[in-house]
Amino acid sequence: MTLADELQTERLRLRRWRFEDRAPFARMNADPRVMEHFSAPLTQAESDAVADRIAAHFERHGFAQWAVEIPGITPFAGFIGLSIPRFEAHFTPCVEIGWRLAAEYWNCGYATEGARAALEFGFASLDLQEIVSMTAVGNLRSRRVMEKIGMARSPSDDFDHPLVAEGHPLRRHVLYRLRRPV
Ligand SMILES: CC(C)(COP(=O)(O)OP(=O)(O)OC[C@H]1O[C@@H](n2cnc3c(N)ncnc32)[C@H](O)[C@@H]1OP(=O)(O)O)[C@@H](O)C(=O)NCCC(=O)NCCS
């Protein structure tokens, strides 16, 4: 469709989704380790609904979260990519970078490597002026990836996520920002 169909890094192929990705995606979304900083693990139907939303985002905007393939290791390790949040907050409209990988592939630098390629794509091909990222305050793994790719948090940007119920311990979120390099 567009240039956004595929990005290649040293170890990863970020590609459009295939039907066969849905089973490993559902397994990963049912894993309490992966979903520790979300409201709950997902059922197969909820996981498929996320995959449908990602496909619709690709169709509508020409980019979204890519499926992550690690050639020689696995055809599907999770997703990394760019998306437009579905809610309103003080920093929207914006483009967000995000990631979710199956636990067996954590701590190998894959999220950081794929995120760098997604950032490069966002700035160079989509011509974005800024990319943000957000997560629950306690998600230190994800925050570490944000820091490693050069994003910065200002405490004054912290916010209560409007899609998380009031009073829920995961409602408070941090926001990281990165301006387009000059
Ligand atoms: C967040 C996630 C994508 C990171 O993927 P990854 O490929 O392991 O990331 P990387 O290997 O590139 O970097 C992970 C960093 O976190 C660090 N880290 C790991 N566990 C940590 C912890 N408990 N506390 C603090 N840092 C931690 C690692 O040491 C590494 O940093 P380093 O390179 O300075 O040592 C992965 O953990 C994940 O899918 N988590 C569940 C889903 C999720 O929370 N997604 C984000 C929602 S916003």
Side-chain angles (χ1 to χ4, degrees), residues 33-34 37-38 99-101 105-113 134-135 139-142 144-146 148:
R33 293 170 297 174
V34 173
H37 300 285
F38 296 86
W99 34 69
R100 191 182 304 172
L101 299 179
Y105 306 111
W106 290 1
N107 295 321
C108 299
Y110 291 136
T112 302
E113 183 173 323
M134 65 199 77
T135 192
N139 192 347
L140 299 181
R141 289 186 192 91
S142 196
R144 181 73 194 124
V145 175
M146 294 171 197
K148 286 198 292 179

Side-chain angles (χ1 to χ4, degrees), residues 133-137 140 143 146-147 150-159 172-178:
S133 194
M134 65 199 77
T135 192
V137 172
L140 299 181
R143 292 178 62 169
M146 294 171 197
E147 285 160 11
M151 305 188 91
R153 170 207 175 204
S154 158
S156 61
D157 270 333
D158 289 3
F159 68 106
R172 197 70 184 157
H173 271 55
V174 287
L175 183 83
Y176 283 68
R177 298 178 185 261
L178 183 64

Side-chain angles (χ1 to χ4, degrees), residues 11-133:
R11 297 178 296 167
L12 307 176
R13 187 174 163 222
L14 306 188
R15 58 163 175 77
R16 288 292 293 264
W17 292 62
R18 302 183 192 126
F19 179 76
E20 306 81 80
D21 299 328
R22 289 185 174 227
F25 188 48
R27 275 199 297 280
M28 163 185 145
N29 286 327
D31 182 342
R33 293 170 297 174
V34 173
M35 301 310 279
E36 181 187 351
H37 300 285
F38 296 86
S39 304
L42 303 186
T43 63
Q44 171 87 50
E46 289 166 336
S47 177
D48 285 347
V50 176
D52 288 343
R53 270 210 306 277
I54 291 173
H57 195 293
F58 264 115
E59 292 313 318
R60 179 156 180 214
H61 301 289
F63 65 91
Q65 294 96 335
W66 291 273
V68 176
E69 184 173 326
I70 313 176
I73 296 184
T74 180
F76 181 83
F79 68 66
I80 297 173
L82 302 171
S83 62
I84 299 172
R86 297 178 288 143
F87 59 85
E88 281 182 26
H90 72 274
F91 51 88
T92 62
C94 64
V95 172
E96 168 189 18
I97 185 165
W99 34 69
R100 191 182 304 172
L101 299 179
E104 55 266 48
Y105 306 111
W106 290 1
N107 295 321
C108 299
Y110 291 136
T112 302
E113 183 173 323
R116 287 196 173 116
L119 284 180
E120 160 81 20
F121 176 83
F123 289 130
S125 299
L126 300 180
D127 207 21
L128 300 173
Q129 294 305 308
E130 183 181 65
I131 295 174
V132 305
S133 194

